[in-house]
Amino acid sequence: MLNIFLNSSPMLFLSDKLLVVTVATKETDGFRRFLRSAKHFNYSVKVLGRNQKWRGGDHTTAPGGGQNVRLLKEALEEMKDSEKIILFIDSYDVVFASGPKELLKKFQQARHKVVFSSESLIWPERHLEDKHPHVREGNRFLGSGGFIGYLPNIKEMVSDWLGEDADSDQLYFTKIYIDPAKKKSINITLDSKCRLFQNLHGALDEVVLKFEDGRVRARNVLYDTLPVIIHGNGPTKLQINYLGNYIPNTWTFETGCTACQEDLRPLTGLQESEYPLVMIGIFIQQPTPFVTVFFERLLNQQYPKNRLQLFIYNKEAHHDQQVSSFLQEHRHLYHNVKFIESTEDMDGTASRNLGFDLCRKDKDCDYFLSLDIEVVLKNENTLKIIIEQNLPIVAPMITRTGRLWSNFWGALSADGYYARSEDYVDIVQGRRVGVWNVPYVSSVYLIKADLLRTELTEYDLFNSNSLDSDMAFCDNVRNKGIFMYVSNMHNFGRILSTENYKTSHLHNDLWQIFENPVDWQERYIHKNYTLIMKNKLIETPCPDVYWFPVFSDVACNHLIEEMEHFGRWSGGKNTDTRIQGGYENVPTIDIHMNQINFEKEWHKFLLEYIAPITEKMYPGYYTKCSTPLNFVVRYKPDEQPLLVPHHDASTFTINIALNSKDIDYQVNEEDRLMLKQELNRVVYICTHTRVSLARRAVSV
């Protein structure tokens, strides 16, 4: 018999005799992952207990699982082929890492009729420890989550089962193993070095991913083995989820993500009326910059508006007007809108529970998109993309600019908070691209409404005595065995920083150049600014005077409105107590930047957007943009009789016209720096003086 096993052709014959048997009373995400891995290697699988009620207890935290033994015993009674080989394994937390040929080869090399998985920890009765046979190397204790053997031997092993469904299957098999007579009769051994089975509980430090030649395996570094079956037994569900992102060949360096295009729900070709109905829950829980831009991007989402419902919760009175303005102009576009204003007595946790429940009770609601106001969705197809992934819960990955902060966690610490997974940085920085099973998502994610009506029926999903609302939700989801995913297959956008956002100004977003520089630039810098050098957008209306676009129309309007809102314009006289010495040679009607606490932000603007241009214009000169005075000047016809033609004492002068160039001002070629105003027009100029850069004058 041994010689036959060692030949390759009989091994192929034995593959036909192999049957994988498992118990799954319902189809969970873990079970579907198990079936996918079995299909990948062409295993034949028989599933027991479908659509039956599980009565085996929660044997992940307490003894149980007897229902598995009963169902197995009943199924084996119908099997008669004595040469059949049975592989009995759990399925909710198991993946195959290799195929039947390797499994059977390692089984025959064990030279026993039944081989059980092994563990380094004894469960469930520690007092039986001394009765376990000693092994020269490897794990001593039996694990019931996986075993392989010949049909007659396994029949004999389960024939004495008379227990209840909630009794411990592990204890039953352990007592057989530590009974010398039964152990010998059935011919049982343990896979002590994890050649066939790898139980993760108690062995997390021993298991690493092995990438080689387009394949991914789990390697036990303690015994230098490559297990065929990986089992996330006990409290190791997050670790098997992590390994399942790669095994079996789900993601490799050579192929990338091989599973990301499976089971998609394509929307291409659908009529608008056929699109899934999505309820978008928008949550405003703190003062946030660029809220107006958020709603502009929401409008730009390429999804039929009549297939969208809006649920808007606003805790901040500061944003009531912005939300109301958006709804006043656009609510008619949407299928339905519910707005909870800041004056209503509802906290953030209650609002999220309510949003889910509105979708849960609406039979037409297909999805709920949870969207926090600080999310910047740059990708106009975000909603389409994540719907097409057809996953229970999926988040488009977003990050904070210049940081590793994102809207997902790759791992959890022992107390349930953030921990960095080995692949977190690679995923965030885009070196590994795919769809990833993760333990936590926040800020923006899509959930299937059917999930809310079946597995997640509890109203208070976001409530917890010790966890934040988002952590409480993810904890509830994990406890249900539901998978959460994050996709970084596209550049979806980013998330704003809200920590230092102040609301003391009229246009508070102007002050965000430090906290959210990318969003500040998109909002306030002219769209052609980056093309200045490439497309030669710098004009020269007269010698040593240069024009180029720098501010957007929004920036000009906001600066003007901010100054008018402040309202304390100088008198346009020679006496000026704001400056050193109290005397102004050439008085203007103006407001200094430091009067509105905009000095630091203005200096940052000069460094980021003016200095690079001037250094290109004047090679060899470098500027720190040190400025003793920055101000906005208001010009009106006949308002400033003391303002006469003059020579500016600056070595370098910047004037930024906040009005249209061709209508509101022009440069006098004779005087170069004198500004003429069109009759009856008000002209605003941002002026920055005395920049040590070059011995020339520049007008912007």
Side-chain angles (χ1 to χ4, degrees):
M1 181 70 72
L2 180 59
N3 290 333
I4 294 175
F5 279 7
L6 291 176
N7 293 331
S8 59
S9 55
M11 189 63 66
L12 295 176
F13 173 74
L14 281 178
S15 297
D16 295 334
K17 295 292 186 179
L18 176 65
L19 178 65
V20 179
V21 181
T22 190
V23 173
T25 55
K26 65 178 181 179
E27 290 200 8
T28 65
D29 293 332
F31 177 69
R32 284 184 281 270
R33 175 183 59 194
F34 164 80
L35 288 183
R36 179 187 179 277
S37 71
K39 180 180 179 182
H40 180 80
F41 294 112
N42 295 316
Y43 283 97
S44 296
V45 180
K46 183 178 180 62
V47 181
L48 309 178
R50 284 185 185 272
N51 301 319
Q52 294 185 20
K53 184 175 181 180
W54 175 252
R55 303 179 187 277
D58 181 12
H59 59 285
T60 60
T61 56
Q67 188 171 350
N68 289 337
V69 188
R70 175 176 64 80
L71 291 172
L72 176 62
K73 180 181 178 180
E74 294 171 356
L76 295 182
E77 290 173 354
E78 302 175 0
M79 301 180 190
K80 307 302 181 183
D81 186 351
S82 62
E83 295 183 349
K84 186 176 286 295
I85 299 174
I86 302 298
L87 170 64
F88 187 79
I89 50 175
D90 291 347
S91 56
Y92 294 157
D93 48 11
V94 166
V95 293
F96 286 103
S98 188
K101 184 177 179 180
E102 180 179 338
L103 176 73
L104 290 170
K105 180 179 179 180
K106 290 180 175 179
F107 168 55
Q108 65 89 22
Q109 288 173 346
R111 303 191 180 193
H112 284 73
K113 300 296 186 181
V114 177
V115 180
F116 269 86
S117 68
S118 67
E119 299 188 43
S120 61
L121 305 173
I122 186 170
W123 171 266
E125 294 189 9
R126 293 187 59 85
H127 71 275
L128 298 176
E129 179 175 350
D130 292 339
K131 296 185 178 181
H132 280 73
H134 287 276
V135 296
R136 282 185 295 180
E137 184 181 12
N139 300 324
R140 283 181 62 198
F141 307 115
L142 176 145
S144 64
F147 55 87
I148 184 172
Y150 288 98
L151 176 62
N153 303 78
I154 294 181
K155 274 188 174 182
E156 180 184 351
M157 187 172 63
V158 300
S159 61
D160 293 335
W161 173 262
L162 297 173
E164 300 294 330
D165 283 356
D167 289 347
S168 172
D169 59 345
Q170 178 121 332
L171 183 60
Y172 173 76
F173 291 124
T174 296
K175 288 181 176 180
I176 293 175
Y177 176 67
I178 63 177
D179 183 319
K182 290 183 178 180
K183 179 176 181 290
K184 182 178 180 180
S185 173
I186 300 170
N187 197 6
I188 301 175
T189 190
L190 298 187
D191 178 33
S192 297
K193 295 184 181 179
C194 305
R195 300 181 73 244
L196 290 89
F197 305 94
Q198 176 66 66
N199 290 311
L200 295 177
H201 188 32
L204 293 179
D205 293 338
E206 302 171 11
V207 180
V208 298
L209 287 171
K210 175 181 172 63
F211 296 90
E212 186 176 76
D213 299 330
R215 294 192 63 187
V216 187
R217 297 290 296 266
R219 176 173 174 253
N220 186 302
V221 296
L222 184 61
Y223 306 119
D224 194 21
T225 55
L226 297 174
V228 177
I229 297 161
I230 316 300
H231 182 200
N233 58 320
T236 63
K237 308 308 176 196
L238 300 186
Q239 285 72 23
I240 190 63
N241 290 350
Y242 166 74
L243 295 175
N245 284 328
Y246 299 92
I247 302 171
N249 296 3
T250 308
W251 189 96
T252 71
F253 285 105
E254 291 80 5
T255 64
C257 182
T258 62
C260 293
Q261 302 303 319
E262 295 180 2
D263 302 321
L264 299 181
R265 180 181 183 175
L267 299 179
T268 305
L270 293 182
Q271 300 293 324
E272 284 196 359
S273 60
E274 297 173 323
Y275 271 66
L277 184 65
V278 182
M279 180 177 292
I280 302 180
I282 299 169
F283 300 93
I284 309 174
Q285 299 197 154
Q286 66 279 320
T288 305
F290 306 107
V291 168
T292 301
V293 183
F294 171 91
F295 285 111
E296 291 172 0
R297 291 198 173 99
L298 182 66
L299 283 169
N300 290 335
Q301 276 295 304
Q302 297 302 298
Y303 200 90
K305 300 293 185 295
N306 60 1
R307 300 302 295 162
L308 296 176
Q309 301 185 69
L310 299 183
F311 170 76
I312 304 177
Y313 165 77
N314 179 29
K315 182 182 178 182
E316 290 295 329
H318 174 72
H319 294 308
D320 272 343
Q321 182 57 46
Q322 291 164 308
V323 180
S324 297
S325 296
F326 166 75
L327 292 179
Q328 184 176 357
E329 293 183 36
H330 304 293
R331 73 181 303 156
H332 67 280
L333 300 174
Y334 294 91
H335 183 80
N336 190 28
V337 175
K338 181 175 178 59
F339 177 31
I340 298 179
E341 300 183 63
S342 60
T343 54
E344 300 186 41
D345 187 19
M346 179 178 291
D347 63 24
T349 299
S351 72
R352 295 181 187 273
N353 286 327
L354 176 59
F356 270 21
D357 204 47
L358 290 174
C359 178
R360 181 185 290 123
K361 292 178 177 178
D362 183 350
K363 61 181 179 61
D364 295 323
C365 184
D366 296 305
Y367 293 92
F368 187 94
L369 177 67
S370 182
L371 182 60
D372 290 355
I373 196 70
E374 58 266 29
V375 171
V376 179
L377 285 184
K378 288 284 291 179
N379 192 321
E380 296 180 353
N381 292 303
T382 295
L383 185 53
K384 282 184 179 179
I385 291 169
I386 57 177
I387 287 177
E388 289 183 334
Q389 285 298 151
N390 196 27
L391 295 168
I393 301 174
V394 59
M397 190 192 77
I398 55 173
T399 61
R400 187 163 291 168
T401 303
R403 296 175 59 183
L404 289 174
W405 193 99
S406 73
N407 65 324
F408 79 95
W409 296 350
L412 296 180
S413 63
D415 55 359
Y417 287 83
Y418 171 82
R420 180 172 292 182
S421 62
E422 292 180 6
D423 56 2
Y424 178 82
V425 174
D426 284 341
I427 293 173
V428 169
Q429 296 183 343
R431 290 192 291 269
R432 300 186 187 183
V433 175
V435 179
W436 312 93
N437 186 340
V438 296
Y440 171 91
V441 295
S442 66
S443 301
V444 52
Y445 53 87
L446 184 76
I447 181 170
K448 287 185 175 181
D450 285 345
L451 202 59
L452 298 176
R453 301 185 187 105
T454 53
E455 298 297 312
L456 300 175
T457 56
E458 297 87 350
Y459 181 86
D460 56 349
L461 288 172
F462 292 89
N463 290 84
S464 173
N465 293 327
S466 57
L467 301 174
D468 294 340
S469 59
D470 54 350
M471 294 177 64
F473 167 68
C474 293
D475 184 62
N476 283 323
V477 169
R478 293 193 302 269
N479 291 338
K480 294 284 188 178
I482 299 168
F483 291 170
M484 293 172 281
Y485 297 87
V486 65
S487 170
N488 68 337
M489 295 184 66
H490 303 264
N491 183 9
F492 293 104
R494 56 186 176 270
I495 191 162
L496 296 170
S497 172
T498 62
E499 285 86 351
N500 298 311
Y501 188 62
K502 308 298 183 184
T503 59
S504 55
H505 301 281
L506 179 65
H507 294 294
N508 301 282
D509 296 349
L510 281 169
W511 277 258
Q512 287 295 298
I513 190 170
F514 289 103
E515 299 295 329
N516 295 290
V518 175
D519 297 87
W520 194 92
Q521 175 173 323
E522 290 183 356
R523 186 66 163 163
Y524 291 128
I525 297 302
H526 197 282
K527 63 181 180 180
N528 290 334
Y529 171 81
T530 57
L531 303 176
I532 288 173
M533 293 301 176
K534 179 180 179 181
N535 294 346
K536 299 180 180 179
L537 295 182
I538 297 179
E539 302 176 46
T540 309
C542 57
D544 292 333
V545 175
Y546 304 95
W547 284 343
F548 57 88
V550 63
F551 273 152
S552 67
D553 290 345
V554 173
C556 295
N557 292 335
H558 282 192
L559 274 170
I560 292 170
E561 291 166 9
E562 193 66 45
M563 293 302 177
E564 291 288 8
H565 178 72
F566 182 74
R568 302 175 191 173
W569 296 98
S570 64
K573 298 179 180 179
N574 295 111
T575 302
D576 192 341
T577 58
R578 298 172 301 169
I579 61 177
Q580 187 175 5
Y583 184 82
E584 174 58 68
N585 289 324
V586 185
T588 56
I589 295 178
D590 57 56
I591 293 175
H592 292 178
M593 294 297 189
N594 59 19
Q595 289 182 265
I596 61 169
N597 297 318
F598 199 64
E599 193 80 0
K600 290 189 302 181
E601 288 75 12
W602 186 254
H603 183 247
K604 176 70 171 176
F605 158 73
L606 295 174
L607 283 173
E608 294 292 329
Y609 300 101
I610 301 301
I613 304 300
T614 56
E615 289 167 13
K616 289 284 186 179
M617 301 304 299
Y618 304 111
Y621 289 92
Y622 172 74
T623 178
K624 295 182 179 180
C625 291
S626 301
T627 60
L629 195 59
N630 302 289
F631 51 93
V632 172
V633 177
R634 185 186 73 191
Y635 293 97
K636 288 184 179 179
D638 304 323
E639 187 179 54
Q640 301 183 88
L642 297 180
L643 182 61
V644 296
H646 64 281
H647 181 272
D648 201 313
S650 310
T651 56
F652 183 74
T653 300
I654 295 173
N655 294 323
I656 300 178
L658 301 180
N659 303 75
S660 173
K661 181 185 73 170
D662 295 324
I663 296 178
D664 291 320
Y665 74 91
Q666 61 180 344
V667 174
N668 184 317
E669 289 194 7
E670 293 182 1
D671 297 316
R672 295 205 307 270
L673 295 178
M674 270 306 295
L675 295 175
K676 289 185 177 180
Q677 299 85 42
E678 183 187 14
L679 189 61
N680 298 324
R681 296 298 296 255
V682 180
V683 179
Y684 299 85
I685 302 292
C686 290
T687 298
H688 153 228
T689 61
R690 298 181 181 86
V691 179
S692 299
L693 176 68
R695 298 182 183 87
R696 301 178 185 177
V698 175
S699 177
V700 180

